Amino acid sequence: MKKVSEYLNKTILYCLVFLSFIPNESLKEKLSYTLKLPPINKEANTTLFKQNFMPPWFYEGFNGELILNRFSYLQIYTSRGEPKRTIGGYGPGPGEFYSIGAIQKANDSYFILDPLQAALSVFDKEFAFKKRFHLLYEGVSNVIQGISIDGEYIATAQYHRQIYKNSLKARAINIYDLNGKWQKALFEVNKVQKKLKNYPENILRGHILLDNQDIYFCFTPINCIWKLSIEGEVINEKWFGQKWWKYVKYDDNEKKKFIIQKPAWMYDIQAEETGYRIMAIFKYKDYVGLQISKDANNLLDYCYILLDKNFSWESEPIFLKDYFPAGYGENCLYLAKMIEFRTPYEESRAEIIKCTIEK
């Protein structure tokens, strides 16, 4: 992997550069912050990410706060970027986390996912802890890759999709009510397996977006997005980027040679680095957005695309320069550039830009 210092020594630029999008459209900067970032929790990083450097990731609060994920706790900033308070900490207790995978807003509450425990901790609008429950069902892996909450439902994409009791079908999506009670499983993987280039299970990591009664779902290395009803009916599918998408190269025979000397999972990671990968799915105004990594060795080599919700249109890729993705707010994107960085376990500084796509 290229050294992080190569990214940090670049000249600081105050404009965003894009290569292509809809004519007369661009990313427009709305706000810029220079923030002090507290250190991440070492135990949580070792357990979940195992990275020497992870870019900051932000969520928006109900009152315009910036919420920074530090893997086992949250740093809350005011809407002006001033440090306000911290929430959580490493551990098993109420309001604590072994890791933080995502934050969702719903029903005047924050739902904070601890993916390794398949646990959701619920906080009120003022960040007071309310309760915690687990998203479990017999036969399902307890590691959740993606989560989305809207209306009366919680939708999850599991990291592994195991066979349910009394069923011969593996399904990729689980639906729960807002109290964590399991409702149903959707999306039979076997029905689409032939379209997935026969990738092994551990590469097919799901990303999910719940929008009212519609579910948008995709797999990390596949340039396809499915639209489903809340009942599980596949309404539509869209194969995007067919002219520019680069597939992950996976060869079972090569893996067998590789694992004689090294662990099998190392080959899987190396294979993922050979192609494009969907890293996130999000809602942007009336569009569905996808964040796509183009080079696993370079955090700055990525793009966004937008699709309309009926899949009748897709944008050209939006390429940026010198900034990396740092989260999504309501109708906006967050981008980041490190100004000072030594190790993830020390305080650092970053420039954070809040921007929108404007015609």
Side-chain angles (χ1 to χ4, degrees):
M1 180 174 288
K2 295 182 179 179
K3 296 180 180 179
V4 172
S5 59
E6 293 180 11
Y7 307 137
L8 306 181
N9 291 333
K10 290 179 178 289
T11 304
I12 296 177
L13 299 177
Y14 288 91
C15 62
L16 302 175
V17 179
F18 64 96
L19 298 184
S20 59
F21 193 53
I22 313 170
N24 300 320
E25 289 204 359
S26 64
L27 284 167
K28 182 177 180 181
E29 179 181 328
K30 293 182 67 178
L31 290 172
S32 178
Y33 311 85
T34 298
L35 301 182
K36 289 184 178 180
L37 311 180
I40 67 172
N41 180 274
K42 188 172 185 178
E43 292 89 346
N45 178 48
T46 302
T47 300
L48 185 61
F49 294 103
K50 299 181 177 67
Q51 296 290 331
N52 292 324
F53 174 70
M54 288 290 288
W57 195 263
F58 290 89
Y59 301 87
E60 276 191 342
F62 284 102
N63 299 311
E65 302 97 337
L66 292 175
I67 304 173
L68 173 64
N69 184 359
R70 296 282 83 183
F71 301 163
S72 72
Y73 72 95
L74 303 174
Q75 175 65 54
I76 313 298
Y77 301 87
T78 68
S79 59
R80 298 181 297 276
E82 301 161 342
K84 184 176 180 181
R85 59 184 298 191
T86 60
I87 302 296
Y90 188 78
E96 296 179 332
F97 310 92
Y98 284 120
S99 60
I100 296 176
I103 302 171
Q104 295 277 310
K105 295 187 297 186
N107 293 0
D108 290 332
S109 297
Y110 296 102
F111 292 77
I112 303 175
L113 173 68
D114 192 334
L116 298 182
Q117 299 186 88
L120 272 180
S121 292
V122 185
F123 290 73
D124 68 17
K125 293 178 69 172
E126 303 303 321
F127 300 100
F129 177 76
K130 295 168 62 176
K131 61 181 178 179
R132 177 172 59 188
F133 53 82
H134 289 80
L135 301 173
L136 299 177
Y137 182 71
E138 186 174 3
V140 180
S141 166
N142 67 339
V143 179
I144 294 177
Q145 176 67 27
I147 189 168
S148 186
I149 304 175
D150 197 15
E152 302 176 357
Y153 298 106
I154 299 169
T156 67
Q158 306 297 130
Y159 185 69
H160 292 290
R161 292 156 287 280
Q162 300 179 8
I163 301 297
Y164 292 87
K165 186 177 181 180
N166 300 324
S167 172
L168 298 178
K169 301 172 182 177
R171 297 179 172 91
I173 297 169
N174 285 283
I175 304 295
Y176 303 81
D177 68 19
L178 291 181
N179 293 312
K181 182 179 180 181
W182 182 84
Q183 303 291 302
K184 65 192 81 172
L186 314 174
F187 198 78
E188 295 176 21
V189 179
N190 289 342
K191 288 188 175 181
V192 297
Q193 187 65 52
K194 291 182 179 179
K195 300 181 180 181
L196 303 182
K197 299 179 70 68
N198 293 316
Y199 285 137
E201 181 76 12
N202 57 321
I203 283 186
L204 295 175
R205 296 197 297 272
H207 298 283
I208 195 163
L209 173 65
L210 180 60
D211 181 35
N212 295 318
Q213 297 289 298
D214 294 324
I215 299 170
Y216 298 89
F217 179 79
C218 53
F219 284 118
T220 285
I222 308 295
N223 60 325
C224 180
I225 183 168
W226 288 270
K227 181 178 180 179
L228 298 87
S229 72
I230 199 67
E231 300 303 322
E233 176 191 1
V234 176
I235 301 171
N236 203 353
E237 71 176 46
K238 168 72 172 179
W239 290 83
F240 60 88
Q242 297 184 61
K243 296 180 180 179
W244 54 268
W245 185 267
K246 178 182 177 183
Y247 272 105
V248 169
K249 296 179 181 178
Y250 194 94
D251 188 321
D252 251 345
N253 292 326
E254 286 299 316
K255 179 177 181 177
K256 292 174 183 177
K257 297 176 184 177
F258 185 90
I259 61 177
I260 294 175
Q261 298 178 334
K262 298 179 181 179
W265 61 266
M266 292 182 65
Y267 178 85
D268 296 330
I269 291 176
Q270 288 190 9
E272 283 192 54
E273 293 175 351
T274 63
Y276 293 0
R277 299 170 297 156
I278 300 169
M279 304 304 292
I281 180 172
F282 60 96
K283 183 164 61 176
Y284 182 83
K285 297 184 178 180
D286 292 326
Y287 301 99
V288 176
L290 296 173
Q291 176 196 325
I292 296 167
S293 170
K294 300 181 63 182
D295 184 350
N297 292 320
N298 186 350
L299 292 174
L300 298 176
D301 195 359
Y302 69 98
C303 65
Y304 293 107
I305 67 165
L306 298 181
L307 306 103
D308 71 2
K309 292 182 179 180
N310 294 318
F311 299 163
S312 61
W313 169 88
E314 70 176 87
S315 75
E316 294 294 328
I318 309 165
F319 299 92
L320 306 179
K321 186 177 181 180
D322 296 313
Y323 292 83
F324 44 75
Y328 315 102
E330 295 179 1
N331 304 322
C332 71
L333 304 176
Y334 287 96
L335 306 171
K337 175 187 293 186
M338 301 307 296
I339 298 174
E340 294 178 4
F341 176 83
R342 291 180 295 275
T343 74
Y345 311 120
E346 300 176 73
E347 185 180 89
S348 56
R349 283 201 311 140
E351 178 193 2
I352 310 299
I353 289 179
K354 180 179 180 181
C355 58
T356 59
I357 300 174
E358 302 288 346
K359 290 187 178 181

